[in-house]
Amino acid sequence: MAWGNIYRRRMKVFSSAIVIYLDYKALQQREKWTNKSKRATLWEKAHQRNAKRVLRLIIELEGLWVKLGQYLSTRADVLPDAYIRLLRQLQDSLPPRRLEEVCRSIQKELGMSMDDLFLNFVEVPLATASIAQVHRATLRDGQEVVVKVQHEGIKTVILEYMDGIRLNDSESLQAFGVDKLKLVEEITRAYAHQIYVDGFFNGDPHPGNFLVSKEPPYTPILLDFGLTKLLSSSMKQALAKMFLASAEGDYVALLSAFAEMGLKLRLDIPEQAMEVMNVFFRTSTPPSEALENMKALAEQRTKNMKVIQEKLNLKEKEVKRFNPVDAFPGDIVIFSRVLNLLRGLSTTMDVRIKYMDIMRPFAESVLQSNISNGPALNAQWILNTPAHSDLEAKLRHLLVELGNADKILGIQVCAYKNGEVIIDTSAGVLGRYDPRPVQPDSLFPVFSVTKGITAGMLHWLIDHRKLKLEESVANIWPEFKPNKKDAIKVHHVLNHTSGLHNALADLTRENPLLMCDWDECLNRIALSAPETEPGHEQLYHYMSFGWLCARIWEEVSGDSRRSVESRLATLTLDTDDLSKLTLDKDDLSKLSGMTSRRNDLPSTFQPGNIAQLVTTLPAVFNTLDVRRAILPAANGHCSARALARYYASLVDGGVIPPPHSSLSKPPLGSHPHTPIFVSKKTPKKSKGVNIKELFAASDNIGSSEQRQNYDNSNRESSVGKADSNNYTRLASDSSCSNNSYPTTADKGTDDNHQTVCKIFSNPRVHDAFLGAGEYENLILPGGKFGLGFRRVCAKDGSIIGFGHSGMGGSTGYCDIRNRFAIAVTVNKMSFGAVTGRIINFVCSELDIPLPEEFSRGTDLQLNLEKPLIN
């Protein structure tokens, strides 16, 4: 095309745009002086007037402009009805080309004259579109045919004539009884199959390219494959991963999909990227909701641009010109066009299509052969690290067995015995759609395992004389006092006897994402009233425990820093375990005794609704809002090696084990996120305490052998001696029993004058954890909880240690007598059967008591009652 012609076309577009713009601006001024009852008519006439201008321009310019007009004609969710009515003509009724041009094209293509080819050729075309026009004709042998003649200079082909109902023929569709919803759903499925399964799709799904068969079941007929796109295998997988990451709220997988398809962002905006994807795959809306929908999208765009403006410190004019996308692959352009055309089609047909539900099975089918491959298909399924013991080598065989049975997605197991690491194994992948391997320092959401950590934080404050167990919470947190809560002491909180077991129940029922609002959660707890008298009834504080402990910590210590990284695994469900709960009649009969009310659980957290709760957790806890939120009851992110090291320290009375030396290679995560957290209130006690520093002092510890000698020399007198509470206490550490309380760990020396570090100086710290000995009067007798920790009991009922499990299977605990600590972290949530098998195996191999809650590791009733709920 000559430059002069290009210039003239551009001038036509520009001049038409100016005319339309000025028309609307004049109408805005005129509207101010017009009666309200007449304004709608004025706008409708303006829309009709300008729609005609647009139509004339498109017909004159032809080519891709017709494609644009066809696309706009489907966007009833965006454009006024006047534009849709007029532009709809472009779908199949453009002005026909001259008959001379048609005959010339036929004779040139077929090498024969019109008379030699046809007995009859109907001069008036059936329809004219952007690429070709269609004529009825009769061949020399009497066969009736349809001849599609491509416009000169445009290549396309069409081999049969299909008879059907046009999608814009509402009267005929109604007369035939066509279900428009089912029809559009079937069209959407067809395109999902083309894109995700075939990797070859029609890029032009406007209403003019569809018919509906006139015979039941009235299936859609797809026409005109003149614009098609072939996807590479890698692009097809990336598109599927992008869709599923959006459906799962998996930010890391979404960013990974962007990278795989070549879509590059100029800055780190995962929240905005996810919001765009949610808009992209959102459920379609009927025309009646188009205005509200457009307003909501405009508000969301303004909000996102505001975030970009703040991140880059741009001026308002600068941010309007800023494009956050650095590279946009062509395949995504066609993919986006198809999805928007399908959305416009559903709006035109006045139906509501749930794209997430319809397209998901096709996207999943693409990744099934490449994601979550178990050990049978993946030689690197278990991370290749040296085994620390024969036990670890045997355990890895068990993990392979469980992996082949599809019971494990990603897992970490770490254990200490006598101060030494005996297990540190990682296996599987970080997420259902995140194929990165689990590594030793990968992080897992561990739910209520967090409670054992927040409890340890308060015990550290108590040990360092910054907090007292008998202290009233209202003295620490004045806003907590209303509704007779001044009687609640710190030990009531730790023992789950404060009476606030349902304090946040309403919030989670209203909207689970409200728990991300730290101040709202604290405010609700502050305004709540105890349901039972403090100290009189032990009911599991499944939500409120963490916020109570964390607020006390914050007020006393002044520390409130939290963060989340992309090395955090994403959650999924073990659907086999769920089906056992919901469908298996034999298993349901086993649960008959359990479905009645449990007296040790609050009314809002009974086993009867556990399955329903579990099914919602992955979707909620995979969202970035929740991953970044401060949820001290249920949102701890840790590795099994960190959790095991924590309990190994506690089992030795606070003596910190040496740090693990091996780190992930290559380094995990390219999108670290650190949320800003500011407390409204100024802490009333000493400042500067950072929980991260509690273990930082481990660099000063001597070798593991030196530490082993120190531990043994101080424990020989107490091993095997159980107190009246039937558990073994740790002997006093005289070397650190001084009166100085530094802000990190206490330092002492062993008999060989080697430096050791402890985070607790109390020789009876195990009594404090378990509510035993001199602390016995601070807990409710016979309860399952001590002071913050779940008491771990053997089959005979004797107390062997303490710990805390989390919903879905992650756990951490220690056995005091045997100086044993273990942690298991999983991202495939189940009823604890996998964790039970692992702990059962390890304890059996070590010949140490098996905790009662894991003693029937494959029993569904136990798994539901114990590890899952705790």
Side-chain angles (χ1 to χ4, degrees):
M1 185 182 294
W3 277 107
N5 191 23
I6 293 175
Y7 177 77
R8 284 191 295 272
R9 289 168 65 88
R10 289 180 178 177
M11 286 303 299
K12 288 178 182 179
V13 174
F14 180 75
S15 59
S16 296
I18 289 293
V19 170
I20 293 172
Y21 172 78
L22 293 176
D23 190 355
Y24 281 120
K25 290 299 290 185
L27 179 57
Q28 286 179 337
Q29 297 300 320
R30 184 180 175 188
E31 185 182 36
K32 297 177 182 179
W33 312 103
T34 305
N35 189 289
K36 288 185 178 179
S37 62
K38 297 181 180 179
R39 291 178 184 176
T41 303
L42 286 176
W43 278 101
E44 178 62 25
K45 289 181 178 179
H47 291 326
Q48 291 177 359
R49 187 166 58 246
N50 290 312
K52 289 178 181 178
R53 289 170 174 152
V54 172
L55 179 62
R56 284 197 299 268
L57 176 68
I58 289 175
I59 291 174
E60 183 178 357
L61 296 179
E62 295 183 317
L64 289 177
W65 285 97
V66 175
K67 288 295 182 185
L68 175 62
Q70 291 173 339
Y71 170 72
L72 293 175
S73 73
T74 70
R75 300 310 305 270
D77 57 332
V78 176
L79 291 177
D81 188 56
Y83 283 85
I84 302 301
R85 288 196 305 269
L86 284 172
L87 295 179
R88 195 174 285 165
Q89 299 174 27
L90 299 172
Q91 293 175 5
D92 59 1
S93 57
L94 283 173
R97 295 294 181 98
R98 291 178 299 113
L99 183 62
E100 292 83 354
E101 179 186 324
V102 173
C103 294
R104 185 168 61 247
S105 295
I106 293 175
Q107 291 175 165
K108 180 180 179 181
E109 185 72 21
L110 300 179
M112 300 174 67
S113 68
M114 297 291 289
D115 292 337
D116 291 336
L117 289 168
F118 307 107
L119 286 176
N120 180 44
F121 187 87
V122 180
E123 296 182 1
V124 178
L126 285 173
T128 302
S130 60
I131 296 175
Q133 66 187 43
V134 183
H135 291 260
R136 296 289 297 271
T138 305
L139 298 178
R140 300 293 299 179
D141 60 3
Q143 181 181 359
E144 291 190 355
V145 295
V146 168
V147 182
K148 183 173 183 178
V149 185
Q150 66 185 31
H151 300 320
E152 288 186 349
I154 299 176
K155 289 187 176 181
T156 188
V157 177
I158 189 169
L159 295 173
E160 61 181 337
Y161 169 71
M162 302 297 295
D163 186 25
I165 309 167
R166 290 284 180 188
L167 294 190
N168 57 13
D169 188 353
S170 301
E171 292 182 0
S172 297
L173 291 175
Q174 186 174 359
F176 277 86
V178 176
D179 187 325
K180 293 193 291 184
L181 176 61
K182 289 184 178 179
L183 176 68
V184 180
E185 286 180 343
E186 194 63 29
I187 290 174
T188 305
R189 288 191 188 94
Y191 270 84
H193 192 285
Q194 291 176 48
I195 293 169
Y196 294 121
V197 179
D198 300 330
F200 182 75
F201 63 95
N202 180 359
D204 198 20
H206 63 78
N209 278 346
F210 296 100
L211 295 175
V212 184
S213 63
K214 294 181 178 179
E215 300 293 333
Y218 306 116
T219 55
I221 301 170
L222 279 63
L223 307 174
D224 193 354
F225 280 73
L227 176 62
T228 56
K229 181 64 182 176
L230 178 65
L231 298 174
S232 65
S233 177
S234 59
M235 177 58 72
K236 188 170 65 171
Q237 292 180 33
L239 287 173
K241 189 173 180 179
M242 179 180 73
F243 176 89
L244 294 168
S246 176
E248 294 281 327
D250 189 336
Y251 291 79
V252 176
L254 179 64
L255 297 175
S256 174
F258 285 172
E260 291 170 16
M261 65 179 63
L263 194 157
K264 299 178 181 179
L265 301 177
R266 287 195 169 101
L267 71 167
D268 181 24
I269 46 173
E271 306 102 316
Q272 286 68 43
M274 183 61 76
E275 287 174 356
V276 169
M277 288 298 101
N278 289 335
V279 168
F280 195 56
F281 295 114
R282 73 190 185 279
T283 299
S284 63
T285 54
S288 59
E289 300 175 16
L291 183 59
E292 291 87 2
N293 186 46
M294 288 304 299
K295 286 181 179 178
L297 293 178
E299 290 173 0
Q300 187 61 55
R301 184 181 185 280
T302 301
K303 179 182 174 183
N304 289 341
M305 295 308 292
K306 186 69 173 177
V307 171
I308 293 174
Q309 182 179 359
E310 292 175 354
K311 277 181 175 284
L312 298 180
N313 195 24
L314 297 175
K315 296 179 181 179
E316 188 171 348
K317 290 184 178 179
E318 292 174 330
V319 76
K320 288 181 179 179
R321 297 193 299 267
F322 179 77
N323 184 0
V325 179
D326 187 47
F328 203 85
D331 290 342
I332 305 302
V333 176
I334 304 296
F335 177 78
S336 303
R337 181 178 188 274
V338 166
L339 200 63
N340 282 324
L341 283 170
L342 290 174
R343 187 181 307 285
L345 174 63
S346 67
T347 302
T348 302
M349 300 294 286
D350 198 14
V351 295
R352 197 183 300 271
I353 300 298
K354 297 181 178 179
Y355 295 101
M356 286 290 187
D357 294 344
I358 294 175
M359 300 177 74
R360 181 165 189 153
F362 299 95
E364 287 180 335
S365 68
V366 178
L367 299 183
Q368 278 180 347
S369 60
N370 297 287
I371 300 295
S372 303
N373 282 340
L377 299 175
N378 183 1
Q380 303 300 317
W381 186 77
I382 289 184
L383 193 68
N384 187 20
T385 56
H388 293 76
S389 61
D390 292 339
L391 169 59
E392 184 170 19
K394 294 179 182 178
L395 174 66
R396 290 179 177 181
H397 288 292
L398 173 62
L399 296 182
V400 167
E401 176 188 332
L402 293 170
N404 285 329
D406 198 27
K407 292 298 180 183
I408 294 175
L409 179 65
I411 192 169
Q412 297 170 323
V413 183
C414 185
Y416 283 76
K417 184 72 170 68
N418 297 325
E420 299 282 353
V421 177
I422 58 171
I423 298 171
D424 188 14
T425 289
S426 305
V429 293
L430 284 181
R432 190 177 180 187
Y433 307 117
D434 186 352
R436 292 178 300 163
V438 174
Q439 305 206 39
D441 57 349
S442 299
L443 302 179
F444 282 69
V446 294
F447 293 95
S448 287
V449 171
T450 315
K451 292 181 174 70
I453 299 171
T454 52
M457 292 163 66
L458 292 199
H459 279 286
W460 188 89
L461 294 175
I462 293 164
D463 188 80
H464 286 68
R465 301 180 183 177
K466 301 173 184 296
L467 179 68
K468 295 181 180 179
L469 285 167
E470 297 84 357
E471 193 167 0
S472 171
V473 176
N475 289 342
I476 305 166
W477 177 17
E479 293 82 3
F480 183 75
K481 189 174 183 179
N483 296 319
K484 300 180 180 180
K485 295 197 295 297
D486 51 336
I488 297 177
K489 307 294 179 63
V490 173
H491 65 82
H492 292 138
V493 172
L494 289 171
N495 193 227
H496 295 265
T497 56
S498 75
L500 300 176
H501 40 277
N502 287 324
L504 294 177
D506 290 339
L507 178 145
T508 55
R509 285 197 295 265
E510 290 171 21
N511 180 0
L513 293 180
L514 285 177
M515 64 183 172
C516 299
D517 190 331
W518 170 260
D519 292 320
E520 175 66 17
C521 292
L522 291 179
N523 184 56
R524 294 202 181 201
I525 291 177
L527 296 177
S528 64
E531 296 183 26
T532 59
E533 187 176 348
H536 281 65
E537 191 171 357
Q538 188 178 84
L539 291 167
Y540 183 46
H541 289 40
Y542 64 104
M543 286 289 286
S544 55
F545 179 90
W547 272 273
L548 287 165
C549 290
R551 184 56 172 168
I552 293 170
W553 167 269
E554 181 195 27
E555 286 285 353
V556 174
S557 72
D559 178 57
S560 56
R561 281 172 285 181
R562 308 288 186 272
S563 65
V564 64
E565 303 177 51
S566 64
R567 59 184 173 132
L568 178 62
T570 52
L571 297 165
T572 189
L573 290 175
D574 188 333
T575 52
D576 289 340
D577 269 10
L578 279 179
S579 65
K580 288 180 181 178
L581 178 68
T582 56
L583 299 177
D584 193 311
K585 294 181 179 179
D586 293 336
D587 282 335
L588 285 177
S589 64
K590 294 179 183 179
L591 296 174
S592 59
M594 185 209 68
T595 54
S596 58
R597 177 178 170 81
R598 287 255 314 254
N599 293 329
D600 60 330
L601 296 176
S603 59
T604 56
F605 196 66
Q606 289 293 314
N609 62 0
I610 290 297
Q612 182 179 358
L613 175 63
V614 171
T615 57
T616 64
L617 286 177
V620 173
F621 276 78
N622 284 341
T623 64
L624 193 61
D625 285 342
V626 174
R627 286 160 75 101
R628 289 184 171 183
I630 304 168
L631 310 179
N635 207 36
H637 302 150
C638 64
S639 62
R641 62 159 47 166
L643 189 60
R645 187 168 179 240
Y646 171 70
Y647 278 105
S649 174
L650 298 188
V651 80
D652 281 347
V655 178
I656 304 173
H660 293 254
S661 58
S662 62
L663 296 174
S664 296
K665 296 180 180 180
L668 284 171
S670 58
H671 292 274
H673 308 294
T674 304
I676 298 173
F677 176 84
V678 180
S679 174
K680 288 184 175 180
K681 302 296 180 182
T682 301
K684 296 175 174 52
K685 299 203 176 183
S686 59
K687 309 281 186 177
V689 180
N690 184 350
I691 191 63
K692 294 179 181 177
E693 294 175 356
L694 300 186
F695 289 95
S698 60
D699 292 337
N700 298 317
I701 299 177
S703 67
S704 58
E705 181 180 358
Q706 293 164 343
R707 181 177 160 276
Q708 176 73 40
N709 293 335
Y710 163 79
D711 288 338
N712 288 339
S713 67
N714 284 278
R715 288 181 53 89
E716 288 178 353
S717 61
S718 64
V719 173
K721 298 179 181 178
D723 71 350
S724 58
N725 285 281
N726 206 18
Y727 76 94
T728 305
R729 285 182 172 146
L730 180 69
S732 173
D733 173 18
S734 58
S735 64
C736 288
S737 59
N738 52 60
N739 293 321
S740 62
Y741 295 93
T743 57
T744 55
D746 293 332
K747 297 181 180 179
T749 57
D750 62 11
D751 291 343
N752 296 319
H753 304 288
Q754 299 294 326
T755 301
V756 294
C757 292
K758 295 183 65 176
I759 55 174
F760 293 104
S761 60
N762 181 3
R764 297 298 184 189
V765 69
H766 290 163
D767 286 356
F769 295 158
L770 291 165
E774 63 186 77
Y775 301 91
E776 194 169 10
N777 63 326
L778 300 179
I779 69 166
L780 191 71
K784 295 180 178 179
F785 291 94
L787 290 173
F789 294 92
R790 174 73 181 258
R791 292 175 161 186
V792 176
C793 300
K795 288 184 180 180
D796 61 6
S798 61
I799 299 174
I800 58 175
F802 53 89
H804 218 295
S805 295
M807 183 171 285
S810 294
T811 194
Y813 84 92
C814 59
D815 179 328
I816 301 170
R817 178 185 178 88
N818 291 286
R819 293 186 64 208
F820 171 71
I822 188 170
V824 179
T825 55
V826 296
N827 60 355
K828 189 168 191 176
M829 298 179 65
S830 69
F831 295 124
V834 169
T835 305
R837 286 278 303 274
I838 292 169
I839 292 181
N840 201 316
F841 175 81
V842 172
C843 290
S844 175
E845 289 290 317
L846 293 176
D847 193 24
I848 61 177
L850 177 66
E852 188 272 336
E853 67 176 277
F854 297 109
S855 61
R856 292 169 289 170
T858 58
D859 185 270
L860 179 63
Q861 180 170 352
L862 177 98
N863 293 334
L864 184 61
E865 287 185 323
K866 298 290 179 63
L868 181 71
I869 291 179
N870 292 334

